[in-house]
Amino acid sequence: MHVAPALPVPSFLSAADGVRLAYREVGEGRPTVLLHGFSSTAVINWIAPGHAAAVAATGRRVILPDLRGHGDSDRSHDPAAYPADVVTDDVFALLDHLGLTDGEFDLGGYSLGGRTSLRAVVRGARPGRLVVAGMGLAGVTHMRGHSFADVFLHVLTDPPPADGTFAPGSAEGRITDFVARIGADRTALRLTLGTAVDTPAADVARVDVPTLVVCGDRDDPADARVLSDVLPRSTFATVKGDHISAANRSDALGAAMAAFLGAG
């Protein structure tokens, strides 16, 4: 784990509804927007593990927003602030705010961030290159029913066990500990998760952008491989780790992303 540098945290108001969204930047060069995973933040997902620095070292201005309901962005408890697909709307608002137009930037994300990046391209975003990390086809086409999303919904919605704890080492226990440790807002997270919109495989197959699909070798590499096979211009890779450790406890993810993005 790298020591996260103290960075300015500018913000802007989303064009969708005026919600304040925060972001950070690392490096200089070609703009590259990276979206963090569900319940995480830009600092935890990208900056602290060194992934942002690895990508920036290829000559890039890495732009790292905190998603709606997360980190330093607004974490409203008003359901009206969480309409369907609003997290993708926020990607377009960020691109507009930064003045980034077709082909002038690259885009990627981890888990929910990867899913959202891909959905933004399906909806018309035109990055030069795309990274979908920690996500497979099932998570893109059917969010409900995806194992990790279902665990999050269980933890954030259902009453905890009578003793208030989940089994040590269980997915529920690890997620509960993580959410508590970083001070995430459980209500805002639950509302954010409910905004997800599925993308049909046929739409994914029309994404004509060079794409890296990468995930942990103990995550769900089979489903990630299926996603890669559906995308017409994809590269597939795995790094060591499960869904959490591949992102937060290894520098291999950043190295894989840097190699792919730096080749463009």
Side-chain angles (χ1 to χ4, degrees):
M1 185 71 70
H2 296 237
V3 176
L7 298 170
V9 188
S11 64
F12 69 103
L13 299 181
S14 171
D17 53 13
V19 165
R20 188 185 63 85
L21 302 172
Y23 63 98
R24 292 167 171 81
E25 296 191 17
V26 176
E28 298 179 355
R30 180 174 174 83
T32 304
V33 177
L34 298 181
L35 310 178
H36 63 76
F38 180 71
S39 83
S40 191
T41 67
V43 170
I44 292 169
N45 204 151
W46 300 122
I47 298 174
H51 307 321
V55 172
T58 67
R60 290 172 178 272
R61 171 194 175 196
V62 185
I63 301 152
L64 307 158
D66 279 342
L67 302 181
R68 176 181 301 238
H70 294 69
D72 290 312
S73 291
D74 282 351
R75 298 190 274 180
S76 173
H77 288 189
D78 182 359
Y82 300 90
D85 223 13
V86 72
V87 177
T88 311
D89 293 341
D90 290 340
V91 174
F92 287 99
L94 176 62
L95 296 177
D96 287 345
H97 171 73
L98 297 171
L100 301 180
T101 58
D102 291 359
E104 292 184 347
F105 66 97
D106 296 310
L107 177 65
Y110 192 83
S111 193
L112 176 63
R115 186 184 199 277
T116 303
S117 297
L118 181 56
R119 179 142 185 86
V121 174
V122 167
R123 286 184 46 187
R126 293 293 177 263
R129 289 195 162 220
L130 175 66
V131 175
V132 181
M135 182 57 58
L137 185 65
V140 170
T141 60
H142 299 93
M143 175 66 107
R144 299 297 176 93
H146 186 265
S147 59
F148 224 71
D150 284 352
V151 172
F152 268 112
L153 281 172
H154 172 46
V155 168
L156 297 172
T157 304
D158 297 336
D163 63 359
T165 61
F166 293 99
S170 67
E172 291 87 351
R174 293 173 67 194
I175 289 170
T176 300
D177 291 345
F178 177 74
V179 168
R181 185 170 69 252
I182 69 172
D185 187 310
R186 294 169 59 89
T187 299
L189 291 181
R190 176 175 52 79
L191 291 168
T192 302
L193 193 60
T195 70
V197 172
D198 294 333
T199 300
D203 290 346
V204 175
R206 288 191 286 269
V207 172
D208 190 25
V209 176
T211 304
L212 172 66
V213 177
V214 56
C215 76
D217 58 4
R218 291 183 286 111
D219 190 357
D220 193 351
D223 190 37
R225 168 67 81 173
V226 173
L227 174 60
S228 180
D229 288 344
V230 170
L231 289 160
R233 300 178 65 190
S234 70
T235 300
F236 176 72
T238 61
V239 297
K240 290 189 179 299
D242 59 20
H243 194 74
I244 296 175
S245 62
N248 298 337
R249 300 175 192 165
S250 168
D251 58 5
L253 177 64
M257 293 171 59
F260 173 77
L261 292 168

